[in-house]
Amino acid sequence: MAHTHLGEMLELDAAVLHEYWAELIGWVGAQLPDRPHIVDLGAGTGVGSRSLARHLPAARITAVDVDEEMLAHLRHKADEEGLGDRIRTVGADLDQPWPQLEPADLIWASASLHHISDPDTALARAYELTRPGGLFAVVELDSFPRFLDDPAGAALEERCQALLAAKRLEHGLHMGEAWGERLAGAGYTVEAERHFDLVLRPPLPAATGRYAEISLGRIRHGLEDRLPAEDLAALEQLAADLPHRTDFTVRAERTIWLARRPT
């Protein structure tokens, strides 16, 4: 379940953390020209692309991702929401030479840069793609969301987070990077760095139970070979129970860097 529900997880993240998303999109959008062209790098299901298109009715978005299934979902959702005429999809592996793209007033990269093997090369390519005076918004999650308030549950989540961090490091993922320094090294001027420490307590949005179920399921899937059997069983039970409970808390951390290409 966990591996195959990434797309749903991305959609639920926007639904559950909708106030954060609205603030983030509003803040970035307020700094753009009237009719911007936006390139969404690693667009996934298009949560960012569609949010930007809704907030900026004159914007055109090019959504880039390597996963054609995700892009098909994006196109379907964009058409369903009346945004299809302003969002174009491009299939591309950002670790390979990039396709020809129109210069961007904003490059948007939400939870995608840490997957790229060579971030410095990607940022150099992005710099060339950014119009003089244009912006690059890097959005990164600091960890998987957490849900459990009781001591045993919180301790289990802490163990899982530590193991996941070690696994990401082993696989070369660039989590916890100093993206501000990397952006400056690519030639951008970093104008802002904002940290969002998100805490949602009951009453929670309707989609939160499913969000928790998939999140814990993904953790269990990712740690099948590293957790003892009792911890795996506990995660499986929690993933089954949380959709029916209202007594848990959602905690998530995100950091956003906003950088500008000098004119």
Side-chain angles (χ1 to χ4, degrees), residues 76-99:
H76 172 75
K77 293 292 289 186
D79 288 341
E80 191 175 69
E81 296 168 7
L83 305 170
D85 61 332
R86 293 192 291 118
I87 300 178
R88 179 174 74 99
T89 61
V90 175
D93 183 343
L94 296 175
D95 280 319
Q96 300 299 320
W98 291 11

Side-chain angles (χ1 to χ4, degrees), residues 80-141:
E80 191 175 69
E81 296 168 7
L83 305 170
D85 61 332
R86 293 192 291 118
I87 300 178
R88 179 174 74 99
T89 61
V90 175
D93 183 343
L94 296 175
D95 280 319
Q96 300 299 320
W98 291 11
Q100 188 70 34
L101 298 170
E102 179 186 343
D105 299 290
L106 170 68
I107 293 182
W108 172 271
S110 178
S112 59
L113 289 188
H114 64 262
H115 290 289
I116 294 175
S117 299
D118 185 354
D120 289 333
T121 296
L123 291 179
R125 290 170 176 163
Y127 184 86
E128 294 302 315
L129 184 61
T130 309
R131 297 186 196 277
L135 293 170
F136 194 156
V138 175
V139 185
E140 282 292 336
L141 60 160

Side-chain angles (χ1 to χ4, degrees), residues 29-52:
Q31 310 191 48
L32 297 178
D34 290 339
R35 302 177 65 83
H37 175 235
I38 299 168
V39 173
D40 184 355
L41 295 179
T45 61
V47 168
S49 291
R50 288 154 37 220
S51 296
L52 287 160

Side-chain angles (χ1 to χ4, degrees), residues 133-215:
L135 293 170
F136 194 156
V138 175
V139 185
E140 282 292 336
L141 60 160
D142 297 330
S143 67
F144 280 89
R146 303 184 188 215
F147 304 96
L148 307 174
D149 294 320
D150 62 288
L156 173 59
E157 284 189 322
E158 188 63 34
R159 292 195 297 276
C160 290
Q161 295 288 355
L163 288 170
L164 286 167
K167 185 172 181 178
R168 289 192 293 263
L169 188 62
E170 290 170 14
H171 285 78
L173 296 183
H174 297 275
M175 299 289 290
E177 287 281 342
W179 290 109
E181 294 178 11
R182 285 190 180 272
L183 287 162
Y188 290 97
T189 299
V190 179
E191 296 191 341
E193 178 180 337
R194 294 182 63 181
H195 182 77
F196 288 79
D197 193 357
L198 309 171
V199 181
L200 278 66
R201 294 188 172 88
L204 298 167
T208 309
R210 179 63 174 161
Y211 181 64
E213 179 184 13
I214 293 180
S215 296

Side-chain angles (χ1 to χ4, degrees), residues 2-80:
H3 182 68
T4 58
H5 285 282
L6 175 59
E8 185 181 2
M9 175 71 182
L10 296 174
E11 296 290 334
L12 287 168
D13 187 83
V16 172
L17 304 178
H18 58 90
E19 292 183 3
Y20 151 77
W21 273 96
E23 182 176 351
L24 173 61
I25 295 293
W27 174 54
V28 175
Q31 310 191 48
L32 297 178
D34 290 339
R35 302 177 65 83
H37 175 235
I38 299 168
V39 173
D40 184 355
L41 295 179
T45 61
V47 168
S49 291
R50 288 154 37 220
S51 296
L52 287 160
R54 284 192 297 268
H55 185 74
L56 301 164
R60 294 177 298 109
I61 292 98
T62 301
V64 183
D65 201 278
V66 70
D67 190 322
E68 288 295 340
E69 186 175 340
M70 291 279 195
L71 292 178
H73 175 91
L74 191 162
R75 289 190 293 270
H76 172 75
K77 293 292 289 186
D79 288 341
E80 191 175 69

